[in-house]
Amino acid sequence: MHWLLGQFLIRPPYPADSYAGKTIIITGSNTGLGKEAARHYARLGASHIILAVRDLDKGHDAKHDIEYTTKCGQNVIQVWRLDMASYASVCAFADRVQSELDRVDIVLANAGLAPAKHSVAEGNELLFTVNCISTILLTALLVPRLKTSAARFSIRPVICMTGSVAHTFTQFQEKSAPEGEMFAQLNKRAAREDSMTAREDLYSISKMLPIFALRAVAERCPADKFPVTINIADPGLCWSGLSRDFSGGIGTYAFMSVMARSTEVGSRTLVHGGAQGPNSHGCYISGCQIEEPSPVITGPGGKELQERVWKEIVAKLEAIKPGVTGNFSTD
Ligand SMILES: NC(=O)c1ccc[n+]([C@@H]2O[C@H](COP(=O)([O-])OP(=O)(O)OC[C@H]3O[C@@H](n4cnc5c(N)ncnc54)[C@H](OP(=O)(O)O)[C@@H]3O)[C@@H](O)[C@H]2O)c1
């Protein structure tokens, strides 16, 4: 109810701050919320914008569209390849950032999907690979460049992941899985159940797991000892291509017509998240305000669950790139 009222009553403020001199990376920016966030940054004078996309042609179409509508010039936006369904692609992208960008101010880790059908990428249900594991992997891999940006340019860079209120719609039934078997059980359910309800629940969980990870990182690397702010922003319910696989019928269409924001309005919340300071580190932001996430996370047993989720995510990240989770340190 609180969220519904916020969705209806709160209109995120139109971004107006200058981004001159700033370098901004946005994943999943060829369309939807990511593209509209990129358009705001281009309009507001960002010096360098990286559209991180899995399809370069779509990325170049977005670049030309943003250049045309903002008149930002042809030297501001670059299109780089990033396929979050491939860990090799995530690692290659991060290596490129490390070698080609001296300075990174803001990363919007926005790429995500909600497929109606089960598929596997890198040994996990695609939803978990893209929305959770690759998102945290990319965050970990980019931290060193953000730390050096902080020291060299006296700035406090921000990584803002795109979250979702959908994480509050699930009870996360796999939370009581035996030690180390949460992802295994999630993968099993994803392979077994393909109803719309099950797929929506799995999507919700894929948006809940990064919140556990964010909170675990912020506890280990508090804002006063870590020069990078990491937060999660929920854009609210928006008309986008996200649920393109789901045919909701006339009821869903009517609900969306009344409730949903345009991607331009929703993207303002991501720009807001990327502009926040250390007080937002480790926080979930919704309606441009820091909010408590789901009681599954904050309620009884939530802390213990967070540590179990974090342990499994660490194991996955270390299997992909040994030592990578060491980037989440206060050294
Ligand atoms: N729309 C909403 O109501 C809503 C609400 C809360 C949170 N969100 C979150 O907002 C984010 C953006 O979604 P959207 O609503 O803007 O949907 P969208 O229009 O479908 O955009 C999703 C973006 O993610 C990209 N993407 C998907 N899989 C990828 C992969 N393997 N590698 C790299 N990029 C990939 C897509 O690229 P392609 O075009 O190539 O597929 C697209 O650019 C997602 O994280 C979503 O979970 C959306």
Side-chain angles (χ1 to χ4, degrees), residues 84-85 87 113 115 118-136 172 174 182-191 198-199 201-210 313 316:
M84 301 278 284
Y87 297 146
L113 77 182
H118 167 61
S119 64
V120 174
E122 301 285 12
N124 291 292
E125 154 69 39
L126 178 66
L127 263 176
F128 299 117
T129 299
V130 173
N131 295 0
C132 176
I133 301 162
S134 283
T135 299
I136 315 289
F172 186 13
E174 285 77 12
M182 235 173 252
F183 276 101
Q185 289 205 356
L186 283 165
N187 285 328
K188 266 190 205 151
R189 175 150 70 105
R199 295 301 301 174
D201 189 57
L202 291 164
Y203 170 75
S204 297
I205 295 169
S206 79
K207 289 302 210 184
M208 176 183 272
L209 298 175
I313 291 176
K316 289 202 177 287

mmCIF file of all heavy atoms in Angstrom, residues 84-85 87 113 115 118-136 172 174 182-191 198-199 201-210 313 316:
data_model
loop_
_atom_site.group_PDB
_atom_site.id
_atom_site.type_symbol
_atom_site.label_atom_id
_atom_site.label_comp_id
_atom_site.label_asym_id
_atom_site.label_seq_id
_atom_site.Cartn_x
_atom_site.Cartn_y
_atom_site.Cartn_z
ATOM 1 N N MET A 84 25.789 -9.471 -20.115
ATOM 2 C CA MET A 84 25.767 -9.901 -18.710
ATOM 3 C C MET A 84 25.432 -11.393 -18.566
ATOM 4 O O MET A 84 25.494 -11.934 -17.460
ATOM 5 C CB MET A 84 24.742 -9.076 -17.935
ATOM 6 C CG MET A 84 25.014 -7.589 -17.955
ATOM 7 S SD MET A 84 26.235 -7.081 -16.735
ATOM 8 C CE MET A 84 25.253 -7.137 -15.248
ATOM 9 N N ALA A 85 25.080 -12.044 -19.672
ATOM 10 C CA ALA A 85 24.843 -13.484 -19.604
ATOM 11 C C ALA A 85 26.151 -14.261 -19.739
ATOM 12 O O ALA A 85 26.155 -15.495 -19.703
ATOM 13 C CB ALA A 85 23.861 -13.910 -20.696
ATOM 14 N N TYR A 87 30.109 -14.390 -18.231
ATOM 15 C CA TYR A 87 31.074 -13.851 -17.259
ATOM 16 C C TYR A 87 32.333 -13.353 -17.972
ATOM 17 O O TYR A 87 32.954 -12.373 -17.536
ATOM 18 C CB TYR A 87 31.447 -14.913 -16.223
ATOM 19 C CG TYR A 87 30.278 -15.385 -15.374
ATOM 20 C CD1 TYR A 87 30.189 -16.707 -14.932
ATOM 21 C CD2 TYR A 87 29.265 -14.499 -14.994
ATOM 22 C CE1 TYR A 87 29.124 -17.136 -14.149
ATOM 23 C CE2 TYR A 87 28.199 -14.922 -14.216
ATOM 24 C CZ TYR A 87 28.126 -16.252 -13.802
ATOM 25 O OH TYR A 87 27.075 -16.666 -13.028
ATOM 26 N N LEU A 113 16.554 -8.378 -16.811
ATOM 27 C CA LEU A 113 15.519 -8.964 -17.665
ATOM 28 C C LEU A 113 14.545 -9.787 -16.831
ATOM 29 O O LEU A 113 14.822 -10.101 -15.664
ATOM 30 C CB LEU A 113 16.148 -9.773 -18.801
ATOM 31 C CG LEU A 113 16.730 -11.160 -18.542
ATOM 32 C CD1 LEU A 113 17.324 -11.721 -19.831
ATOM 33 C CD2 LEU A 113 17.791 -11.149 -17.465
ATOM 34 N N PRO A 115 12.538 -12.800 -18.217
ATOM 35 C CA PRO A 115 12.035 -13.703 -19.258
ATOM 36 C C PRO A 115 10.941 -14.633 -18.732
ATOM 37 O O PRO A 115 10.998 -15.085 -17.592
ATOM 38 C CB PRO A 115 13.279 -14.497 -19.669
ATOM 39 C CG PRO A 115 14.182 -14.434 -18.486
ATOM 40 C CD PRO A 115 13.891 -13.154 -17.771
ATOM 41 N N HIS A 118 12.251 -20.424 -18.905
ATOM 42 C CA HIS A 118 13.505 -20.810 -18.267
ATOM 43 C C HIS A 118 14.617 -20.958 -19.294
ATOM 44 O O HIS A 118 14.415 -21.514 -20.370
ATOM 45 C CB HIS A 118 13.276 -22.162 -17.562
ATOM 46 C CG HIS A 118 14.526 -22.842 -17.113
ATOM 47 N ND1 HIS A 118 15.399 -22.295 -16.203
ATOM 48 C CD2 HIS A 118 15.060 -24.044 -17.458
ATOM 49 C CE1 HIS A 118 16.405 -23.115 -16.002
ATOM 50 N NE2 HIS A 118 16.218 -24.194 -16.751
ATOM 51 N N SER A 119 15.775 -20.448 -18.988
ATOM 52 C CA SER A 119 16.974 -20.776 -19.772
ATOM 53 C C SER A 119 18.178 -20.656 -18.851
ATOM 54 O O SER A 119 18.079 -20.065 -17.765
ATOM 55 C CB SER A 119 17.116 -19.873 -20.996
ATOM 56 O OG SER A 119 17.311 -18.550 -20.590
ATOM 57 N N VAL A 120 19.260 -21.241 -19.289
ATOM 58 C CA VAL A 120 20.448 -21.309 -18.437
ATOM 59 C C VAL A 120 21.580 -20.524 -19.078
ATOM 60 O O VAL A 120 21.794 -20.589 -20.289
ATOM 61 C CB VAL A 120 20.874 -22.790 -18.234
ATOM 62 C CG1 VAL A 120 22.194 -22.878 -17.471
ATOM 63 C CG2 VAL A 120 19.781 -23.555 -17.496
ATOM 64 N N ALA A 121 22.286 -19.751 -18.257
ATOM 65 C CA ALA A 121 23.510 -19.095 -18.715
ATOM 66 C C ALA A 121 24.546 -19.254 -17.613
ATOM 67 O O ALA A 121 24.245 -19.009 -16.435
ATOM 68 C CB ALA A 121 23.261 -17.610 -18.993
ATOM 69 N N GLU A 122 25.711 -19.672 -17.975
ATOM 70 C CA GLU A 122 26.812 -19.853 -17.013
ATOM 71 C C GLU A 122 26.403 -20.764 -15.850
ATOM 72 O O GLU A 122 26.790 -20.548 -14.696
ATOM 73 C CB GLU A 122 27.293 -18.494 -16.472
ATOM 74 C CG GLU A 122 27.792 -17.534 -17.540
ATOM 75 C CD GLU A 122 29.187 -17.927 -18.071
ATOM 76 O OE1 GLU A 122 29.656 -19.050 -17.777
ATOM 77 O OE2 GLU A 122 29.787 -17.110 -18.793
ATOM 78 N N GLY A 123 25.569 -21.773 -16.161
ATOM 79 C CA GLY A 123 25.240 -22.779 -15.145
ATOM 80 C C GLY A 123 24.116 -22.409 -14.198
ATOM 81 O O GLY A 123 23.759 -23.199 -13.323
ATOM 82 N N ASN A 124 23.567 -21.214 -14.356
ATOM 83 C CA ASN A 124 22.428 -20.814 -13.513
ATOM 84 C C ASN A 124 21.276 -20.343 -14.395
ATOM 85 O O ASN A 124 21.496 -19.946 -15.544
ATOM 86 C CB ASN A 124 22.822 -19.649 -12.587
ATOM 87 C CG ASN A 124 23.810 -20.074 -11.525
ATOM 88 O OD1 ASN A 124 23.484 -20.841 -10.631
ATOM 89 N ND2 ASN A 124 25.030 -19.602 -11.654
ATOM 90 N N GLU A 125 20.074 -20.363 -13.819
ATOM 91 C CA GLU A 125 18.942 -19.722 -14.489
ATOM 92 C C GLU A 125 19.384 -18.319 -14.924
ATOM 93 O O GLU A 125 19.998 -17.573 -14.151
ATOM 94 C CB GLU A 125 17.759 -19.688 -13.523
ATOM 95 C CG GLU A 125 16.732 -18.597 -13.746
ATOM 96 C CD GLU A 125 15.897 -18.750 -15.014
ATOM 97 O OE1 GLU A 125 15.516 -19.883 -15.363
ATOM 98 O OE2 GLU A 125 15.633 -17.710 -15.661
ATOM 99 N N LEU A 126 19.072 -17.974 -16.180
ATOM 100 C CA LEU A 126 19.505 -16.694 -16.766
ATOM 101 C C LEU A 126 19.190 -15.492 -15.863
ATOM 102 O O LEU A 126 19.991 -14.561 -15.728
ATOM 103 C CB LEU A 126 18.817 -16.531 -18.134
ATOM 104 C CG LEU A 126 19.091 -15.253 -18.907
ATOM 105 C CD1 LEU A 126 20.543 -15.163 -19.348
ATOM 106 C CD2 LEU A 126 18.168 -15.162 -20.130
ATOM 107 N N LEU A 127 17.991 -15.537 -15.260
ATOM 108 C CA LEU A 127 17.581 -14.454 -14.356
ATOM 109 C C LEU A 127 18.615 -14.175 -13.273
ATOM 110 O O LEU A 127 18.908 -13.023 -12.961
ATOM 111 C CB LEU A 127 16.317 -14.901 -13.607
ATOM 112 C CG LEU A 127 14.956 -14.488 -14.066
ATOM 113 C CD1 LEU A 127 13.906 -15.160 -13.199
ATOM 114 C CD2 LEU A 127 14.809 -12.990 -14.012
ATOM 115 N N PHE A 128 19.142 -15.257 -12.684
ATOM 116 C CA PHE A 128 20.087 -15.081 -11.575
ATOM 117 C C PHE A 128 21.462 -14.684 -12.101
ATOM 118 O O PHE A 128 22.174 -13.911 -11.468
ATOM 119 C CB PHE A 128 20.147 -16.352 -10.715
ATOM 120 C CG PHE A 128 18.814 -16.684 -10.118
ATOM 121 C CD1 PHE A 128 18.152 -17.847 -10.437
ATOM 122 C CD2 PHE A 128 18.188 -15.766 -9.287
ATOM 123 C CE1 PHE A 128 16.895 -18.117 -9.915
ATOM 124 C CE2 PHE A 128 16.930 -16.018 -8.764
ATOM 125 C CZ PHE A 128 16.285 -17.197 -9.075
ATOM 126 N N THR A 129 21.807 -15.203 -13.280
ATOM 127 C CA THR A 129 23.110 -14.842 -13.858
ATOM 128 C C THR A 129 23.152 -13.347 -14.153
ATOM 129 O O THR A 129 24.105 -12.661 -13.774
ATOM 130 C CB THR A 129 23.362 -15.656 -15.144
ATOM 131 O OG1 THR A 129 23.368 -17.037 -14.789
ATOM 132 C CG2 THR A 129 24.684 -15.293 -15.783
ATOM 133 N N VAL A 130 22.116 -12.842 -14.843
ATOM 134 C CA VAL A 130 22.142 -11.433 -15.274
ATOM 135 C C VAL A 130 21.798 -10.491 -14.122
ATOM 136 O O VAL A 130 22.550 -9.560 -13.819
ATOM 137 C CB VAL A 130 21.177 -11.212 -16.466
ATOM 138 C CG1 VAL A 130 21.061 -9.726 -16.795
ATOM 139 C CG2 VAL A 130 21.662 -11.993 -17.681
ATOM 140 N N ASN A 131 20.656 -10.725 -13.488
ATOM 141 C CA ASN A 131 20.150 -9.750 -12.498
ATOM 142 C C ASN A 131 20.939 -9.762 -11.198
ATOM 143 O O ASN A 131 20.951 -8.764 -10.478
ATOM 144 C CB ASN A 131 18.676 -10.029 -12.169
ATOM 145 C CG ASN A 131 17.768 -9.813 -13.367
ATOM 146 O OD1 ASN A 131 18.222 -9.451 -14.435
ATOM 147 N ND2 ASN A 131 16.486 -10.057 -13.190
ATOM 148 N N CYS A 132 21.567 -10.892 -10.908
ATOM 149 C CA CYS A 132 22.261 -10.980 -9.616
ATOM 150 C C CYS A 132 23.772 -11.175 -9.774
ATOM 151 O O CYS A 132 24.551 -10.259 -9.491
ATOM 152 C CB CYS A 132 21.654 -12.123 -8.806
ATOM 153 S SG CYS A 132 22.510 -12.391 -7.255
ATOM 154 N N ILE A 133 24.197 -12.342 -10.258
ATOM 155 C CA ILE A 133 25.633 -12.674 -10.158
ATOM 156 C C ILE A 133 26.483 -11.726 -11.006
ATOM 157 O O ILE A 133 27.471 -11.161 -10.528
ATOM 158 C CB ILE A 133 25.872 -14.158 -10.530
ATOM 159 C CG1 ILE A 133 25.061 -15.053 -9.591
ATOM 160 C CG2 ILE A 133 27.364 -14.501 -10.417
ATOM 161 C CD1 ILE A 133 24.865 -16.455 -10.080
ATOM 162 N N SER A 134 26.098 -11.521 -12.269
ATOM 163 C CA SER A 134 26.897 -10.623 -13.118
ATOM 164 C C SER A 134 26.848 -9.185 -12.619
ATOM 165 O O SER A 134 27.826 -8.443 -12.762
ATOM 166 C CB SER A 134 26.409 -10.674 -14.576
ATOM 167 O OG SER A 134 26.869 -11.840 -15.199
ATOM 168 N N THR A 135 25.723 -8.800 -12.049
ATOM 169 C CA THR A 135 25.609 -7.423 -11.530
ATOM 170 C C THR A 135 26.575 -7.218 -10.364
ATOM 171 O O THR A 135 27.280 -6.202 -10.296
ATOM 172 C CB THR A 135 24.147 -7.136 -11.112
ATOM 173 O OG1 THR A 135 23.323 -7.263 -12.280
ATOM 174 C CG2 THR A 135 23.989 -5.733 -10.544
ATOM 175 N N ILE A 136 26.654 -8.194 -9.476
ATOM 176 C CA ILE A 136 27.585 -8.063 -8.332
ATOM 177 C C ILE A 136 29.028 -8.234 -8.823
ATOM 178 O O ILE A 136 29.941 -7.546 -8.353
ATOM 179 C CB ILE A 136 27.301 -9.128 -7.241
ATOM 180 C CG1 ILE A 136 25.820 -9.260 -6.936
ATOM 181 C CG2 ILE A 136 28.092 -8.806 -5.966
ATOM 182 C CD1 ILE A 136 25.197 -8.143 -6.216
ATOM 183 N N PHE A 172 10.587 -15.741 -0.665
ATOM 184 C CA PHE A 172 11.873 -16.393 -0.915
ATOM 185 C C PHE A 172 11.870 -17.795 -0.291
ATOM 186 O O PHE A 172 12.533 -18.052 0.704
ATOM 187 C CB PHE A 172 13.002 -15.518 -0.360
ATOM 188 C CG PHE A 172 14.394 -16.004 -0.673
ATOM 189 C CD1 PHE A 172 14.644 -17.001 -1.614
ATOM 190 C CD2 PHE A 172 15.497 -15.438 -0.024
ATOM 191 C CE1 PHE A 172 15.933 -17.429 -1.900
ATOM 192 C CE2 PHE A 172 16.784 -15.849 -0.298
ATOM 193 C CZ PHE A 172 17.000 -16.851 -1.227
ATOM 194 N N GLU A 174 13.214 -20.493 -0.994
ATOM 195 C CA GLU A 174 14.482 -21.246 -0.895
ATOM 196 C C GLU A 174 15.346 -20.758 0.258
ATOM 197 O O GLU A 174 16.467 -21.241 0.447
ATOM 198 C CB GLU A 174 15.264 -21.150 -2.212
ATOM 199 C CG GLU A 174 14.706 -21.998 -3.341
ATOM 200 C CD GLU A 174 13.462 -21.393 -3.978
ATOM 201 O OE1 GLU A 174 13.153 -20.212 -3.700
ATOM 202 O OE2 GLU A 174 12.797 -22.103 -4.765
ATOM 203 N N MET A 182 21.233 -22.831 -1.827
ATOM 204 C CA MET A 182 20.154 -21.912 -2.193
ATOM 205 C C MET A 182 20.037 -21.752 -3.712
ATOM 206 O O MET A 182 18.963 -21.895 -4.282
ATOM 207 C CB MET A 182 20.452 -20.558 -1.563
ATOM 208 C CG MET A 182 19.368 -20.025 -0.703
ATOM 209 S SD MET A 182 19.989 -18.559 0.090
ATOM 210 C CE MET A 182 20.174 -19.138 1.737
ATOM 211 N N PHE A 183 21.161 -21.455 -4.341
ATOM 212 C CA PHE A 183 21.117 -21.284 -5.799
ATOM 213 C C PHE A 183 20.737 -22.597 -6.482
ATOM 214 O O PHE A 183 19.998 -22.590 -7.469
ATOM 215 C CB PHE A 183 22.461 -20.772 -6.338
ATOM 216 C CG PHE A 183 22.606 -19.277 -6.250
ATOM 217 C CD1 PHE A 183 23.333 -18.690 -5.243
ATOM 218 C CD2 PHE A 183 21.993 -18.452 -7.185
ATOM 219 C CE1 PHE A 183 23.451 -17.306 -5.147
ATOM 220 C CE2 PHE A 183 22.098 -17.069 -7.104
ATOM 221 C CZ PHE A 183 22.832 -16.498 -6.079
ATOM 222 N N ALA A 184 21.235 -23.709 -5.951
ATOM 223 C CA ALA A 184 20.904 -25.011 -6.562
ATOM 224 C C ALA A 184 19.390 -25.221 -6.517
ATOM 225 O O ALA A 184 18.770 -25.648 -7.508
ATOM 226 C CB ALA A 184 21.632 -26.127 -5.833
ATOM 227 N N GLN A 185 18.781 -24.888 -5.382
ATOM 228 C CA GLN A 185 17.325 -25.077 -5.261
ATOM 229 C C GLN A 185 16.564 -24.078 -6.140
ATOM 230 O O GLN A 185 15.547 -24.416 -6.737
ATOM 231 C CB GLN A 185 16.901 -24.951 -3.799
ATOM 232 C CG GLN A 185 17.369 -26.132 -2.966
ATOM 233 C CD GLN A 185 16.512 -26.364 -1.727
ATOM 234 O OE1 GLN A 185 15.600 -25.597 -1.428
ATOM 235 N NE2 GLN A 185 16.814 -27.441 -1.011
ATOM 236 N N LEU A 186 17.066 -22.866 -6.214
ATOM 237 C CA LEU A 186 16.423 -21.869 -7.102
ATOM 238 C C LEU A 186 16.487 -22.347 -8.551
ATOM 239 O O LEU A 186 15.506 -22.252 -9.303
ATOM 240 C CB LEU A 186 17.120 -20.515 -6.970
ATOM 241 C CG LEU A 186 16.776 -19.707 -5.721
ATOM 242 C CD1 LEU A 186 17.774 -18.577 -5.509
ATOM 243 C CD2 LEU A 186 15.354 -19.148 -5.824
ATOM 244 N N ASN A 187 17.649 -22.853 -8.934
ATOM 245 C CA ASN A 187 17.803 -23.336 -10.315
ATOM 246 C C ASN A 187 16.863 -24.506 -10.599
ATOM 247 O O ASN A 187 16.277 -24.599 -11.677
ATOM 248 C CB ASN A 187 19.255 -23.758 -10.575
ATOM 249 C CG ASN A 187 20.165 -22.551 -10.734
ATOM 250 O OD1 ASN A 187 19.739 -21.509 -11.232
ATOM 251 N ND2 ASN A 187 21.412 -22.677 -10.306
ATOM 252 N N LYS A 188 16.717 -25.371 -9.603
ATOM 253 C CA LYS A 188 15.818 -26.526 -9.779
ATOM 254 C C LYS A 188 14.388 -26.046 -9.973
ATOM 255 O O LYS A 188 13.667 -26.526 -10.852
ATOM 256 C CB LYS A 188 15.891 -27.434 -8.544
ATOM 257 C CG LYS A 188 16.896 -28.549 -8.697
ATOM 258 C CD LYS A 188 16.740 -29.557 -7.563
ATOM 259 C CE LYS A 188 18.071 -30.270 -7.382
ATOM 260 N NZ LYS A 188 18.326 -30.721 -6.039
ATOM 261 N N ARG A 189 13.955 -25.094 -9.142
ATOM 262 C CA ARG A 189 12.572 -24.601 -9.273
ATOM 263 C C ARG A 189 12.385 -23.924 -10.626
ATOM 264 O O ARG A 189 11.362 -24.085 -11.282
ATOM 265 C CB ARG A 189 12.215 -23.642 -8.137
ATOM 266 C CG ARG A 189 10.824 -23.018 -8.319
ATOM 267 C CD ARG A 189 10.153 -22.677 -7.020
ATOM 268 N NE ARG A 189 10.769 -21.577 -6.318
ATOM 269 C CZ ARG A 189 10.262 -20.336 -6.257
ATOM 270 N NH1 ARG A 189 9.120 -20.052 -6.873
ATOM 271 N NH2 ARG A 189 10.873 -19.401 -5.572
ATOM 272 N N ALA A 190 13.391 -23.148 -11.032
ATOM 273 C CA ALA A 190 13.283 -22.440 -12.317
ATOM 274 C C ALA A 190 13.127 -23.425 -13.476
ATOM 275 O O ALA A 190 12.405 -23.159 -14.439
ATOM 276 C CB ALA A 190 14.511 -21.565 -12.529
ATOM 277 N N ALA A 191 13.786 -24.572 -13.360
ATOM 278 C CA ALA A 191 13.703 -25.573 -14.429
ATOM 279 C C ALA A 191 12.379 -26.331 -14.396
ATOM 280 O O ALA A 191 11.885 -26.807 -15.417
ATOM 281 C CB ALA A 191 14.868 -26.557 -14.297
ATOM 282 N N ALA A 198 5.202 -18.420 -10.939
ATOM 283 C CA ALA A 198 6.545 -18.879 -10.539
ATOM 284 C C ALA A 198 7.620 -17.991 -11.151
ATOM 285 O O ALA A 198 8.588 -17.616 -10.481
ATOM 286 C CB ALA A 198 6.746 -20.328 -10.974
ATOM 287 N N ARG A 199 7.435 -17.620 -12.418
ATOM 288 C CA ARG A 199 8.451 -16.780 -13.076
ATOM 289 C C ARG A 199 8.527 -15.405 -12.409
ATOM 290 O O ARG A 199 9.608 -14.856 -12.238
ATOM 291 C CB ARG A 199 8.136 -16.612 -14.573
ATOM 292 C CG ARG A 199 8.200 -17.887 -15.408
ATOM 293 C CD ARG A 199 9.534 -18.561 -15.388
ATOM 294 N NE ARG A 199 10.614 -17.729 -15.876
ATOM 295 C CZ ARG A 199 11.902 -18.078 -15.848
ATOM 296 N NH1 ARG A 199 12.258 -19.249 -15.346
ATOM 297 N NH2 ARG A 199 12.828 -17.281 -16.309
ATOM 298 N N ASP A 201 7.822 -14.792 -9.292
ATOM 299 C CA ASP A 201 8.450 -14.975 -7.980
ATOM 300 C C ASP A 201 9.968 -15.078 -8.133
ATOM 301 O O ASP A 201 10.732 -14.484 -7.362
ATOM 302 C CB ASP A 201 7.885 -16.231 -7.316
ATOM 303 C CG ASP A 201 8.345 -16.352 -5.873
ATOM 304 O OD1 ASP A 201 8.091 -15.412 -5.087
ATOM 305 O OD2 ASP A 201 9.000 -17.356 -5.536
ATOM 306 N N LEU A 202 10.409 -15.800 -9.160
ATOM 307 C CA LEU A 202 11.859 -15.943 -9.378
ATOM 308 C C LEU A 202 12.479 -14.594 -9.740
ATOM 309 O O LEU A 202 13.588 -14.268 -9.301
ATOM 310 C CB LEU A 202 12.126 -16.999 -10.468
ATOM 311 C CG LEU A 202 11.777 -18.429 -10.042
ATOM 312 C CD1 LEU A 202 11.689 -19.350 -11.265
ATOM 313 C CD2 LEU A 202 12.799 -18.983 -9.050
ATOM 314 N N TYR A 203 11.756 -13.807 -10.543
ATOM 315 C CA TYR A 203 12.254 -12.454 -10.859
ATOM 316 C C TYR A 203 12.404 -11.654 -9.564
ATOM 317 O O TYR A 203 13.423 -10.987 -9.331
ATOM 318 C CB TYR A 203 11.300 -11.737 -11.823
ATOM 319 C CG TYR A 203 11.642 -10.257 -12.000
ATOM 320 C CD1 TYR A 203 12.736 -9.867 -12.778
ATOM 321 C CD2 TYR A 203 10.883 -9.260 -11.387
ATOM 322 C CE1 TYR A 203 13.062 -8.512 -12.913
ATOM 323 C CE2 TYR A 203 11.204 -7.913 -11.522
ATOM 324 C CZ TYR A 203 12.292 -7.545 -12.294
ATOM 325 O OH TYR A 203 12.622 -6.203 -12.424
ATOM 326 N N SER A 204 11.379 -11.732 -8.700
ATOM 327 C CA SER A 204 11.423 -10.997 -7.425
ATOM 328 C C SER A 204 12.647 -11.400 -6.619
ATOM 329 O O SER A 204 13.333 -10.553 -6.035
ATOM 330 C CB SER A 204 10.156 -11.274 -6.608
ATOM 331 O OG SER A 204 9.024 -10.807 -7.304
ATOM 332 N N ILE A 205 12.928 -12.703 -6.601
ATOM 333 C CA ILE A 205 14.102 -13.172 -5.834
ATOM 334 C C ILE A 205 15.393 -12.658 -6.482
ATOM 335 O O ILE A 205 16.339 -12.262 -5.795
ATOM 336 C CB ILE A 205 14.093 -14.714 -5.725
ATOM 337 C CG1 ILE A 205 12.880 -15.163 -4.903
ATOM 338 C CG2 ILE A 205 15.390 -15.229 -5.101
ATOM 339 C CD1 ILE A 205 12.602 -16.654 -4.942
ATOM 340 N N SER A 206 15.393 -12.627 -7.825
ATOM 341 C CA SER A 206 16.613 -12.142 -8.510
ATOM 342 C C SER A 206 16.875 -10.671 -8.192
ATOM 343 O O SER A 206 17.995 -10.184 -8.338
ATOM 344 C CB SER A 206 16.511 -12.353 -10.026
ATOM 345 O OG SER A 206 15.695 -11.348 -10.636
ATOM 346 N N LYS A 207 15.835 -9.960 -7.769
ATOM 347 C CA LYS A 207 16.015 -8.562 -7.380
ATOM 348 C C LYS A 207 16.249 -8.423 -5.864
ATOM 349 O O LYS A 207 16.656 -7.371 -5.393
ATOM 350 C CB LYS A 207 14.780 -7.738 -7.803
ATOM 351 C CG LYS A 207 14.678 -7.539 -9.318
ATOM 352 C CD LYS A 207 15.921 -6.862 -9.840
ATOM 353 C CE LYS A 207 15.759 -6.011 -11.028
ATOM 354 N NZ LYS A 207 17.033 -5.458 -11.532
ATOM 355 N N MET A 208 15.939 -9.483 -5.122
ATOM 356 C CA MET A 208 16.182 -9.454 -3.673
ATOM 357 C C MET A 208 17.639 -9.806 -3.355
ATOM 358 O O MET A 208 18.254 -9.199 -2.458
ATOM 359 C CB MET A 208 15.254 -10.462 -2.984
ATOM 360 C CG MET A 208 15.484 -10.581 -1.488
ATOM 361 S SD MET A 208 14.439 -11.829 -0.732
ATOM 362 C CE MET A 208 12.979 -10.889 -0.355
ATOM 363 N N LEU A 209 18.207 -10.757 -4.071
ATOM 364 C CA LEU A 209 19.557 -11.228 -3.740
ATOM 365 C C LEU A 209 20.594 -10.102 -3.778
ATOM 366 O O LEU A 209 21.447 -10.019 -2.877
ATOM 367 C CB LEU A 209 19.955 -12.396 -4.666
ATOM 368 C CG LEU A 209 19.062 -13.638 -4.545
ATOM 369 C CD1 LEU A 209 19.463 -14.700 -5.577
ATOM 370 C CD2 LEU A 209 19.127 -14.229 -3.136
ATOM 371 N N PRO A 210 20.546 -9.178 -4.777
ATOM 372 C CA PRO A 210 21.532 -8.086 -4.754
ATOM 373 C C PRO A 210 21.389 -7.177 -3.526
ATOM 374 O O PRO A 210 22.373 -6.577 -3.096
ATOM 375 C CB PRO A 210 21.232 -7.308 -6.050
ATOM 376 C CG PRO A 210 20.624 -8.324 -6.967
ATOM 377 C CD PRO A 210 19.799 -9.194 -6.055
ATOM 378 N N ILE A 313 27.125 -16.206 -2.847
ATOM 379 C CA ILE A 313 27.510 -15.289 -3.933
ATOM 380 C C ILE A 313 29.038 -15.183 -3.993
ATOM 381 O O ILE A 313 29.637 -15.228 -5.082
ATOM 382 C CB ILE A 313 26.842 -13.908 -3.758
ATOM 383 C CG1 ILE A 313 25.333 -14.044 -4.003
ATOM 384 C CG2 ILE A 313 27.450 -12.873 -4.710
ATOM 385 C CD1 ILE A 313 24.524 -12.776 -3.765
ATOM 386 N N LYS A 316 30.463 -18.086 -5.765
ATOM 387 C CA LYS A 316 30.280 -18.010 -7.220
ATOM 388 C C LYS A 316 31.276 -17.016 -7.824
ATOM 389 O O LYS A 316 31.900 -17.285 -8.848
ATOM 390 C CB LYS A 316 28.842 -17.598 -7.565
ATOM 391 C CG LYS A 316 27.842 -18.709 -7.270
ATOM 392 C CD LYS A 316 26.574 -18.562 -8.056
ATOM 393 C CE LYS A 316 25.631 -19.722 -7.788
ATOM 394 N NZ LYS A 316 26.060 -20.988 -8.403
#
